[in-house]
Amino acid sequence: MQSVVIVLLGIVGMLFGWFFYSKFIAEKIFKMDDNFVTPAHELEDGVDYVPTNKVVLWGHHFTSVAGAAPIVGPAIAVYWGWVPAVLWVVFGTIFFAGVHDMGALWASARNKGKSMGALSESVIGKRTRALFMIVVFLVLLMVNAVFGVVIAKSFVSQPNAVFPAWSAIVVALVIGQLLRRKVSLIPLCLIGVAILYYTIYLGSSMPIALPDEMFGLSANANWIIILFIYAAIASLLPVWMLLQPRDFINGMQLLVGLVLLYGAVFISMPDITAPAFNTQTAVDTPSIIPLLFVTIACGAVSGFHGIVSSGTSSKQLNKETDGRFVGYLGAVGEGMLALITLVAVSGVALAVSPEEWHEIYSHLGAGSVSAFINGGANLIENGWGISQEVASTLLAVMVVLFAGTTMDSGVRLQRYIIQEWGDIYNISIIRNGVVATLVAVLCCLLLAFGAGGADGSGGMIIWPLFGSTNQILASLTLLVISVMLIKANRPAKYTLIPMSFVLIMAFFAGVIKLGEYYQQGNWLLVTLDLLVLVVSVLVMLEAWSVIVKHRKDSADITEQ
């Protein structure tokens, strides 16, 4: 029964965020204007800059930012207890993530669709751009390499998910062509989702697996190579051809998944077996503060969202006011996924008794995606009577498709950054889209295989850094938005307060991790962590000098 109370309070909070808080921020702070000509119209090229229906764009944006992170983070962080995790997800979505994502869309759209890295130059200064883009590239490298490894491992452990995952690409390509020919969106959506779920049903009884060894590589390694070949091709295609319809179909799939999961809660009304505050943590468990706030990133606030908002979504914004629907509502959708994940891994759907729950969550990092799939599948079976096998395949496909769409967008975004570096440093060869994409994919593969060996597990080596680096990036994005607001003489406290909180928590977490890596003698992580911390301090100092100068100039003008 407690699960129903958690869900109801979460829904009420997020409805307040959408109907009231987001409207206030969009109209009074960002002052979004329907008459403003967005980059999608001003720079339309049919490839990256494409005016897009806000519902379709929401599907792209939402599934690109979601990935597997709003499942993984909450499913790990519940170890400290469900109360702090639920509070951070709900309040983080309302006051942090929604404002961050919508603000990044607004800021980029107001500056010809520039990425946050490029935008930081015009808002703060040239040196800031170079520093900012280092952090952005590292985050993208982590996300792409790790999600490639995660999907590959999922294909190996869940061969039932292979057929529906690749079928979704074919369905998306067909829908993209039909939408281009002005076929109505609603029937296409219904048909596409129906086909996708039919392939999930087929996949549950039709597993597809690669040989244990092929071309001298393991199945896991071969899947990683195949996935990055696909991601390279997908990132070069026009957004309307694959990216938009694939992400939209996946977004609709998530809505169906959320209806099934939330509906199951109200039908079966499961109790919570996880502790509200876990007092039986392992001896080596790190402090909940600040680690909770970097463990749950997507689902509360995430710097990766700013990369997507300013990298692909802002270039497809039909009207500036659509930014509220796409950005803030996208954050709400992710918050809803994080919230139901917490219920799935906290309730009797996962463990019948508190003792059994503690056995599953014996240490920080236990449970994770497998806990969500098992708990969620049991929840759906108890609520709707759908078989455990079909339900687990459905949730596994959901995780794979989300991670896959994030890879699609992530490689495209890496290509943008490499091309921007070509412009900045006048390196003509990497301005070429194909060359830039090959460089991006090569970097990810070098990390996966070069650092991890022939099994392709290298992406996981720098993953411990993702939490703090990602949240530092979120604070830097909020900083750029804040400086824009200050220069426009608008209230900046609605972005500065979240920025300050996230920065303190992320920086503190980064320092703690730096000490751990040093003690372990892991010099790769020491170097990368130190680089991120130093870069963030330098960006903050640059921004502060700009703010001080602006206020001094404003005071001088007032005195005159």
Side-chain angles (χ1 to χ4, degrees), residues 6 14 73-93 96 272 274-279 281 285-301 335 338-339 342-343 345-346 357 364 501 505:
I6 294 171
M14 292 186 195
I76 292 175
V78 73
Y79 179 73
W80 284 296
W82 63 264
V83 168
V86 167
L87 290 176
W88 175 228
V89 164
V90 174
F91 286 101
T93 297
F96 291 69
I272 297 297
F277 298 92
N278 191 2
T279 58
T281 56
T285 302
S287 170
I288 187 173
I289 297 175
L291 270 300
L292 171 70
F293 303 101
V294 298
T295 302
I296 300 180
C298 296
V301 62
L339 184 65
L342 287 170
V343 171
V345 301
S346 300
W357 187 90
L364 184 66
F501 179 84
M505 293 298 129

Short mmCIF file of all heavy atoms in Angstrom, two decimals, residues 6 14 73-93 96 272 274-279 281 285-301 335 338-339 342-343 345-346 357 364 501 505:
data_model
loop_
_atom_site.label_atom_id
_atom_site.label_comp_id
_atom_site.label_asym_id
_atom_site.label_seq_id
_atom_site.Cartn_x
_atom_site.Cartn_y
_atom_site.Cartn_z
N ILE A 6 3.54 6.71 -2.34
CA ILE A 6 4.74 7.27 -2.97
C ILE A 6 4.42 7.76 -4.38
O ILE A 6 4.78 8.88 -4.78
CB ILE A 6 5.86 6.21 -3.03
CG1 ILE A 6 6.33 5.87 -1.62
CG2 ILE A 6 7.03 6.70 -3.88
CD1 ILE A 6 7.28 4.69 -1.56
N MET A 14 4.94 16.43 -9.61
CA MET A 14 5.36 16.67 -10.99
C MET A 14 4.28 17.39 -11.79
O MET A 14 4.60 18.16 -12.70
CB MET A 14 5.77 15.36 -11.65
CG MET A 14 7.05 14.79 -11.03
SD MET A 14 7.68 13.34 -11.84
CE MET A 14 8.83 12.74 -10.60
N GLY A 73 20.63 4.59 -12.01
CA GLY A 73 20.91 5.44 -10.85
C GLY A 73 19.98 5.18 -9.67
O GLY A 73 20.44 4.87 -8.56
N PRO A 74 18.65 5.30 -9.86
CA PRO A 74 17.73 5.04 -8.75
C PRO A 74 17.82 3.61 -8.22
O PRO A 74 17.69 3.38 -7.01
CB PRO A 74 16.35 5.31 -9.37
CG PRO A 74 16.63 6.28 -10.46
CD PRO A 74 17.96 5.88 -11.02
N ALA A 75 18.03 2.64 -9.13
CA ALA A 75 18.10 1.24 -8.70
C ALA A 75 19.34 0.97 -7.85
O ALA A 75 19.37 0.02 -7.08
CB ALA A 75 18.10 0.31 -9.91
N ILE A 76 20.36 1.81 -7.96
CA ILE A 76 21.54 1.70 -7.10
C ILE A 76 21.35 2.52 -5.83
O ILE A 76 21.60 2.06 -4.72
CB ILE A 76 22.80 2.17 -7.85
CG1 ILE A 76 23.15 1.20 -8.98
CG2 ILE A 76 23.99 2.31 -6.88
CD1 ILE A 76 24.31 1.66 -9.85
N ALA A 77 20.85 3.76 -5.98
CA ALA A 77 20.77 4.70 -4.86
C ALA A 77 19.75 4.27 -3.80
O ALA A 77 19.84 4.73 -2.65
CB ALA A 77 20.41 6.10 -5.38
N VAL A 78 18.80 3.41 -4.15
CA VAL A 78 17.83 2.94 -3.16
C VAL A 78 18.53 2.21 -2.02
O VAL A 78 17.96 2.01 -0.94
CB VAL A 78 16.78 2.02 -3.83
CG1 VAL A 78 17.38 0.67 -4.18
CG2 VAL A 78 15.53 1.86 -2.96
N TYR A 79 19.78 1.83 -2.22
CA TYR A 79 20.55 1.15 -1.18
C TYR A 79 20.61 1.99 0.10
O TYR A 79 20.64 1.45 1.21
CB TYR A 79 21.96 0.86 -1.70
CG TYR A 79 22.86 0.17 -0.70
CD1 TYR A 79 22.67 -1.17 -0.39
CD2 TYR A 79 23.90 0.86 -0.07
CE1 TYR A 79 23.50 -1.82 0.54
CE2 TYR A 79 24.72 0.23 0.84
CZ TYR A 79 24.52 -1.10 1.15
OH TYR A 79 25.34 -1.73 2.06
N TRP A 80 20.65 3.31 -0.03
CA TRP A 80 20.68 4.18 1.15
C TRP A 80 19.30 4.33 1.80
O TRP A 80 19.17 4.93 2.85
CB TRP A 80 21.19 5.57 0.77
CG TRP A 80 22.67 5.64 0.57
CD1 TRP A 80 23.65 5.43 1.50
CD2 TRP A 80 23.36 5.99 -0.64
NE1 TRP A 80 24.89 5.62 0.94
CE2 TRP A 80 24.75 5.97 -0.37
CE3 TRP A 80 22.95 6.32 -1.92
CZ2 TRP A 80 25.71 6.25 -1.33
CZ3 TRP A 80 23.90 6.60 -2.88
CH2 TRP A 80 25.27 6.57 -2.58
N GLY A 81 18.27 3.81 1.13
CA GLY A 81 16.91 3.95 1.62
C GLY A 81 16.04 4.63 0.58
O GLY A 81 16.52 5.46 -0.19
N TRP A 82 14.74 4.28 0.56
CA TRP A 82 13.89 4.80 -0.50
C TRP A 82 13.48 6.25 -0.27
O TRP A 82 13.20 6.97 -1.23
CB TRP A 82 12.66 3.91 -0.70
CG TRP A 82 11.70 3.81 0.46
CD1 TRP A 82 11.65 2.83 1.40
CD2 TRP A 82 10.64 4.72 0.77
NE1 TRP A 82 10.64 3.06 2.30
CE2 TRP A 82 9.99 4.21 1.92
CE3 TRP A 82 10.16 5.90 0.21
CZ2 TRP A 82 8.90 4.85 2.53
CZ3 TRP A 82 9.07 6.54 0.80
CH2 TRP A 82 8.46 6.02 1.94
N VAL A 83 13.43 6.72 0.95
CA VAL A 83 12.97 8.10 1.23
C VAL A 83 13.90 9.14 0.60
O VAL A 83 13.43 10.01 -0.16
CB VAL A 83 12.81 8.35 2.74
CG1 VAL A 83 12.61 9.85 3.02
CG2 VAL A 83 11.60 7.59 3.28
N PRO A 84 15.21 9.14 0.89
CA PRO A 84 16.07 10.16 0.26
C PRO A 84 16.07 10.06 -1.26
O PRO A 84 16.13 11.09 -1.95
CB PRO A 84 17.46 9.88 0.84
CG PRO A 84 17.39 8.50 1.40
CD PRO A 84 15.99 8.28 1.82
N ALA A 85 16.00 8.83 -1.80
CA ALA A 85 16.00 8.67 -3.25
C ALA A 85 14.74 9.26 -3.87
O ALA A 85 14.80 9.97 -4.89
CB ALA A 85 16.13 7.18 -3.62
N VAL A 86 13.59 8.99 -3.27
CA VAL A 86 12.32 9.53 -3.79
C VAL A 86 12.30 11.05 -3.71
O VAL A 86 11.89 11.75 -4.66
CB VAL A 86 11.12 8.93 -3.02
CG1 VAL A 86 9.83 9.71 -3.33
CG2 VAL A 86 10.93 7.46 -3.39
N LEU A 87 12.75 11.60 -2.58
CA LEU A 87 12.75 13.07 -2.42
C LEU A 87 13.63 13.74 -3.47
O LEU A 87 13.25 14.77 -4.06
CB LEU A 87 13.22 13.44 -1.02
CG LEU A 87 12.25 13.11 0.13
CD1 LEU A 87 12.89 13.44 1.48
CD2 LEU A 87 10.94 13.87 -0.03
N TRP A 88 14.82 13.18 -3.73
CA TRP A 88 15.73 13.79 -4.71
C TRP A 88 15.15 13.69 -6.12
O TRP A 88 15.24 14.64 -6.90
CB TRP A 88 17.09 13.14 -4.62
CG TRP A 88 18.10 13.58 -5.65
CD1 TRP A 88 18.89 12.78 -6.41
CD2 TRP A 88 18.44 14.93 -6.03
NE1 TRP A 88 19.69 13.53 -7.25
CE2 TRP A 88 19.44 14.85 -7.03
CE3 TRP A 88 18.00 16.18 -5.63
CZ2 TRP A 88 19.99 15.98 -7.64
CZ3 TRP A 88 18.55 17.32 -6.23
CH2 TRP A 88 19.53 17.22 -7.21
N VAL A 89 14.53 12.56 -6.45
CA VAL A 89 13.93 12.39 -7.77
C VAL A 89 12.80 13.41 -7.98
O VAL A 89 12.75 14.10 -9.01
CB VAL A 89 13.40 10.95 -7.96
CG1 VAL A 89 12.44 10.89 -9.15
CG2 VAL A 89 14.55 9.99 -8.19
N VAL A 90 11.90 13.54 -7.02
CA VAL A 90 10.73 14.42 -7.19
C VAL A 90 11.15 15.89 -7.19
O VAL A 90 10.82 16.64 -8.12
CB VAL A 90 9.69 14.14 -6.09
CG1 VAL A 90 8.54 15.16 -6.18
CG2 VAL A 90 9.14 12.72 -6.22
N PHE A 91 11.86 16.33 -6.16
CA PHE A 91 12.24 17.74 -6.09
C PHE A 91 13.30 18.08 -7.14
O PHE A 91 13.32 19.21 -7.67
CB PHE A 91 12.74 18.09 -4.69
CG PHE A 91 11.64 18.19 -3.68
CD1 PHE A 91 11.40 17.15 -2.80
CD2 PHE A 91 10.81 19.30 -3.63
CE1 PHE A 91 10.37 17.22 -1.87
CE2 PHE A 91 9.77 19.39 -2.71
CZ PHE A 91 9.55 18.34 -1.83
N GLY A 92 14.17 17.12 -7.44
CA GLY A 92 15.16 17.36 -8.49
C GLY A 92 14.51 17.56 -9.84
O GLY A 92 14.92 18.43 -10.62
N THR A 93 13.48 16.76 -10.16
CA THR A 93 12.77 16.90 -11.43
C THR A 93 12.09 18.26 -11.53
O THR A 93 12.19 18.96 -12.55
CB THR A 93 11.71 15.79 -11.58
OG1 THR A 93 12.37 14.52 -11.62
CG2 THR A 93 10.91 15.98 -12.86
N PHE A 96 15.08 21.35 -10.61
CA PHE A 96 16.43 21.27 -11.17
C PHE A 96 16.39 20.84 -12.64
O PHE A 96 16.75 21.61 -13.53
CB PHE A 96 17.29 20.27 -10.36
CG PHE A 96 17.64 20.73 -8.98
CD1 PHE A 96 16.68 20.83 -7.99
CD2 PHE A 96 18.94 21.05 -8.65
CE1 PHE A 96 17.00 21.24 -6.71
CE2 PHE A 96 19.29 21.46 -7.37
CZ PHE A 96 18.31 21.56 -6.40
N ILE A 272 6.12 -1.81 0.56
CA ILE A 272 7.54 -1.53 0.40
C ILE A 272 8.32 -2.38 1.41
O ILE A 272 8.01 -2.37 2.61
CB ILE A 272 7.84 -0.03 0.64
CG1 ILE A 272 7.13 0.83 -0.40
CG2 ILE A 272 9.34 0.23 0.63
CD1 ILE A 272 7.58 0.60 -1.82
N ALA A 274 11.87 -2.41 1.21
CA ALA A 274 13.14 -1.71 1.42
C ALA A 274 13.01 -0.76 2.61
O ALA A 274 11.92 -0.23 2.88
CB ALA A 274 13.53 -0.94 0.17
N PRO A 275 14.08 -0.50 3.34
CA PRO A 275 14.00 0.44 4.47
C PRO A 275 13.87 1.88 3.99
O PRO A 275 14.37 2.24 2.92
CB PRO A 275 15.34 0.22 5.18
CG PRO A 275 16.27 -0.25 4.10
CD PRO A 275 15.43 -1.07 3.17
N ALA A 276 13.16 2.68 4.77
CA ALA A 276 13.05 4.11 4.45
C ALA A 276 14.43 4.75 4.48
O ALA A 276 14.79 5.55 3.61
CB ALA A 276 12.11 4.79 5.43
N PHE A 277 15.21 4.40 5.51
CA PHE A 277 16.61 4.83 5.63
C PHE A 277 17.40 3.58 6.02
O PHE A 277 17.14 2.98 7.07
CB PHE A 277 16.78 5.92 6.69
CG PHE A 277 16.04 7.19 6.39
CD1 PHE A 277 14.75 7.38 6.87
CD2 PHE A 277 16.61 8.19 5.63
CE1 PHE A 277 14.05 8.54 6.60
CE2 PHE A 277 15.93 9.36 5.35
CZ PHE A 277 14.64 9.54 5.83
N ASN A 278 18.33 3.18 5.18
CA ASN A 278 19.05 1.94 5.40
C ASN A 278 20.12 2.11 6.48
O ASN A 278 21.09 2.85 6.30
CB ASN A 278 19.70 1.46 4.10
CG ASN A 278 20.23 0.05 4.20
OD1 ASN A 278 20.09 -0.61 5.23
ND2 ASN A 278 20.82 -0.43 3.12
N THR A 279 19.93 1.43 7.60
CA THR A 279 20.91 1.49 8.70
C THR A 279 21.80 0.25 8.72
O THR A 279 22.61 0.09 9.63
CB THR A 279 20.18 1.61 10.05
OG1 THR A 279 19.29 0.50 10.21
CG2 THR A 279 19.39 2.91 10.12
N THR A 281 23.94 -0.73 6.19
CA THR A 281 24.84 -0.64 5.04
C THR A 281 26.18 -1.30 5.36
O THR A 281 26.58 -1.42 6.52
CB THR A 281 25.09 0.83 4.65
OG1 THR A 281 25.60 1.54 5.79
CG2 THR A 281 23.80 1.50 4.20
N THR A 285 30.62 1.44 2.71
CA THR A 285 29.66 2.24 1.95
C THR A 285 29.98 3.73 2.10
O THR A 285 30.12 4.22 3.23
CB THR A 285 28.23 1.99 2.45
OG1 THR A 285 27.93 0.60 2.32
CG2 THR A 285 27.23 2.80 1.63
N PRO A 286 30.09 4.47 0.99
CA PRO A 286 30.37 5.91 1.08
C PRO A 286 29.19 6.67 1.65
O PRO A 286 28.05 6.17 1.65
CB PRO A 286 30.65 6.31 -0.37
CG PRO A 286 29.94 5.28 -1.18
CD PRO A 286 30.01 4.00 -0.40
N SER A 287 29.43 7.88 2.10
CA SER A 287 28.39 8.71 2.70
C SER A 287 27.29 9.04 1.68
O SER A 287 27.58 9.29 0.50
CB SER A 287 29.00 10.01 3.23
OG SER A 287 28.00 10.92 3.60
N ILE A 288 26.06 9.05 2.15
CA ILE A 288 24.93 9.39 1.27
C ILE A 288 25.06 10.80 0.72
O ILE A 288 24.62 11.09 -0.39
CB ILE A 288 23.59 9.23 2.04
CG1 ILE A 288 22.41 9.42 1.08
CG2 ILE A 288 23.52 10.17 3.22
CD1 ILE A 288 21.06 9.12 1.72
N ILE A 289 25.66 11.70 1.52
CA ILE A 289 25.94 13.06 1.05
C ILE A 289 27.45 13.16 0.83
O ILE A 289 28.21 12.95 1.77
CB ILE A 289 25.48 14.12 2.07
CG1 ILE A 289 23.96 14.05 2.25
CG2 ILE A 289 25.89 15.53 1.62
CD1 ILE A 289 23.42 14.98 3.32
N PRO A 290 27.91 13.40 -0.37
CA PRO A 290 27.17 13.89 -1.54
C PRO A 290 26.83 12.82 -2.57
O PRO A 290 26.30 13.13 -3.62
CB PRO A 290 28.16 14.87 -2.15
CG PRO A 290 29.49 14.16 -1.92
CD PRO A 290 29.37 13.47 -0.59
N LEU A 291 27.15 11.54 -2.28
CA LEU A 291 27.10 10.52 -3.34
C LEU A 291 25.70 10.28 -3.90
O LEU A 291 25.55 9.91 -5.07
CB LEU A 291 27.70 9.20 -2.83
CG LEU A 291 29.22 9.01 -3.03
CD1 LEU A 291 29.56 9.05 -4.51
CD2 LEU A 291 30.02 10.06 -2.29
N LEU A 292 24.66 10.48 -3.08
CA LEU A 292 23.29 10.30 -3.59
C LEU A 292 23.04 11.19 -4.79
O LEU A 292 22.42 10.78 -5.78
CB LEU A 292 22.26 10.62 -2.50
CG LEU A 292 20.80 10.68 -2.96
CD1 LEU A 292 20.29 9.30 -3.34
CD2 LEU A 292 19.92 11.31 -1.89
N PHE A 293 23.55 12.43 -4.73
CA PHE A 293 23.22 13.44 -5.74
C PHE A 293 24.01 13.28 -7.04
O PHE A 293 23.72 13.97 -8.02
CB PHE A 293 23.43 14.83 -5.15
CG PHE A 293 22.62 15.06 -3.91
CD1 PHE A 293 23.20 14.98 -2.65
CD2 PHE A 293 21.26 15.31 -4.00
CE1 PHE A 293 22.45 15.16 -1.50
CE2 PHE A 293 20.50 15.50 -2.86
CZ PHE A 293 21.09 15.42 -1.60
N VAL A 294 24.99 12.38 -7.05
CA VAL A 294 25.67 12.07 -8.31
C VAL A 294 25.33 10.66 -8.77
O VAL A 294 25.53 10.32 -9.93
CB VAL A 294 27.20 12.24 -8.20
CG1 VAL A 294 27.55 13.67 -7.87
CG2 VAL A 294 27.81 11.29 -7.18
N THR A 295 24.82 9.82 -7.85
CA THR A 295 24.38 8.48 -8.24
C THR A 295 23.08 8.56 -9.02
O THR A 295 22.91 7.92 -10.05
CB THR A 295 24.19 7.58 -7.00
OG1 THR A 295 25.43 7.51 -6.28
CG2 THR A 295 23.77 6.17 -7.41
N ILE A 296 22.12 9.36 -8.51
CA ILE A 296 20.90 9.65 -9.27
C ILE A 296 21.13 10.96 -10.01
O ILE A 296 21.06 12.04 -9.43
CB ILE A 296 19.66 9.77 -8.37
CG1 ILE A 296 19.42 8.48 -7.60
CG2 ILE A 296 18.43 10.11 -9.22
CD1 ILE A 296 18.21 8.53 -6.69
N ALA A 297 21.45 10.85 -11.28
CA ALA A 297 21.64 12.04 -12.13
C ALA A 297 20.43 12.16 -13.04
O ALA A 297 19.51 12.94 -12.76
CB ALA A 297 22.93 11.90 -12.93
N CYS A 298 20.38 11.37 -14.11
CA CYS A 298 19.18 11.32 -14.93
C CYS A 298 18.02 10.86 -14.05
O CYS A 298 18.14 9.84 -13.37
CB CYS A 298 19.36 10.34 -16.09
SG CYS A 298 20.65 10.84 -17.26
N GLY A 299 16.94 11.61 -14.07
CA GLY A 299 15.83 11.33 -13.16
C GLY A 299 15.75 12.40 -12.09
O GLY A 299 14.74 12.52 -11.39
N ALA A 300 16.82 13.21 -11.95
CA ALA A 300 16.80 14.35 -11.03
C ALA A 300 17.39 15.58 -11.73
O ALA A 300 16.72 16.58 -11.91
CB ALA A 300 17.58 14.03 -9.77
N VAL A 301 18.63 15.51 -12.16
CA VAL A 301 19.23 16.52 -13.04
C VAL A 301 20.48 15.91 -13.63
O VAL A 301 21.18 15.14 -12.97
CB VAL A 301 19.56 17.83 -12.28
CG1 VAL A 301 20.58 17.59 -11.18
CG2 VAL A 301 20.02 18.93 -13.22
N GLY A 335 11.65 11.72 -14.82
CA GLY A 335 11.41 11.63 -13.38
C GLY A 335 10.39 10.56 -13.04
O GLY A 335 10.53 9.83 -12.05
N ALA A 338 12.15 7.26 -13.24
CA ALA A 338 12.99 7.06 -12.06
C ALA A 338 12.15 6.70 -10.84
O ALA A 338 12.53 5.84 -10.04
CB ALA A 338 13.82 8.33 -11.79
N LEU A 339 10.99 7.35 -10.71
CA LEU A 339 10.11 7.10 -9.56
C LEU A 339 9.58 5.67 -9.56
O LEU A 339 9.60 4.98 -8.53
CB LEU A 339 8.95 8.10 -9.56
CG LEU A 339 8.00 8.04 -8.37
CD1 LEU A 339 8.73 8.42 -7.08
CD2 LEU A 339 6.80 8.96 -8.59
N LEU A 342 12.18 3.16 -8.59
CA LEU A 342 12.36 3.06 -7.13
C LEU A 342 11.30 2.17 -6.51
O LEU A 342 11.59 1.38 -5.60
CB LEU A 342 12.31 4.47 -6.51
CG LEU A 342 13.54 5.34 -6.77
CD1 LEU A 342 13.29 6.78 -6.33
CD2 LEU A 342 14.75 4.78 -6.02
N VAL A 343 10.06 2.28 -6.99
CA VAL A 343 8.99 1.42 -6.47
C VAL A 343 9.26 -0.04 -6.82
O VAL A 343 9.11 -0.94 -5.98
CB VAL A 343 7.62 1.86 -7.02
CG1 VAL A 343 6.53 0.85 -6.65
CG2 VAL A 343 7.25 3.25 -6.51
N VAL A 345 12.09 -1.58 -7.35
CA VAL A 345 13.22 -2.20 -6.64
C VAL A 345 13.08 -2.09 -5.13
O VAL A 345 13.94 -2.59 -4.40
CB VAL A 345 14.56 -1.57 -7.08
CG1 VAL A 345 14.77 -1.75 -8.57
CG2 VAL A 345 14.64 -0.09 -6.72
N SER A 346 12.01 -1.45 -4.66
CA SER A 346 11.81 -1.29 -3.21
C SER A 346 10.71 -2.18 -2.65
O SER A 346 10.67 -2.44 -1.45
CB SER A 346 11.45 0.17 -2.86
OG SER A 346 12.46 1.05 -3.27
N TRP A 357 15.28 -8.51 0.83
CA TRP A 357 15.72 -7.29 0.14
C TRP A 357 17.19 -7.00 0.47
O TRP A 357 17.98 -6.66 -0.41
CB TRP A 357 14.85 -6.11 0.53
CG TRP A 357 15.16 -4.88 -0.26
CD1 TRP A 357 14.59 -4.49 -1.44
CD2 TRP A 357 16.13 -3.86 0.06
NE1 TRP A 357 15.16 -3.31 -1.87
CE2 TRP A 357 16.09 -2.91 -0.98
CE3 TRP A 357 17.02 -3.69 1.12
CZ2 TRP A 357 16.92 -1.79 -0.98
CZ3 TRP A 357 17.85 -2.58 1.12
CH2 TRP A 357 17.80 -1.64 0.07
N LEU A 364 26.47 -1.43 -1.98
CA LEU A 364 26.16 -0.38 -2.94
C LEU A 364 26.58 -0.84 -4.34
O LEU A 364 27.71 -1.26 -4.55
CB LEU A 364 26.91 0.91 -2.58
CG LEU A 364 26.60 2.13 -3.46
CD1 LEU A 364 25.16 2.58 -3.27
CD2 LEU A 364 27.55 3.28 -3.14
N PHE A 501 23.90 24.31 -5.63
CA PHE A 501 23.71 23.05 -4.91
C PHE A 501 24.37 21.89 -5.66
O PHE A 501 25.13 21.11 -5.07
CB PHE A 501 22.22 22.77 -4.73
CG PHE A 501 21.92 21.48 -4.02
CD1 PHE A 501 21.93 21.44 -2.63
CD2 PHE A 501 21.66 20.32 -4.72
CE1 PHE A 501 21.68 20.26 -1.95
CE2 PHE A 501 21.41 19.13 -4.06
CZ PHE A 501 21.42 19.10 -2.68
N MET A 505 27.75 19.61 -4.42
CA MET A 505 27.65 18.16 -4.26
C MET A 505 28.58 17.42 -5.23
O MET A 505 29.28 16.47 -4.85
CB MET A 505 26.20 17.70 -4.47
CG MET A 505 25.23 18.17 -3.42
SD MET A 505 25.64 17.54 -1.78
CE MET A 505 25.61 19.05 -0.82
#
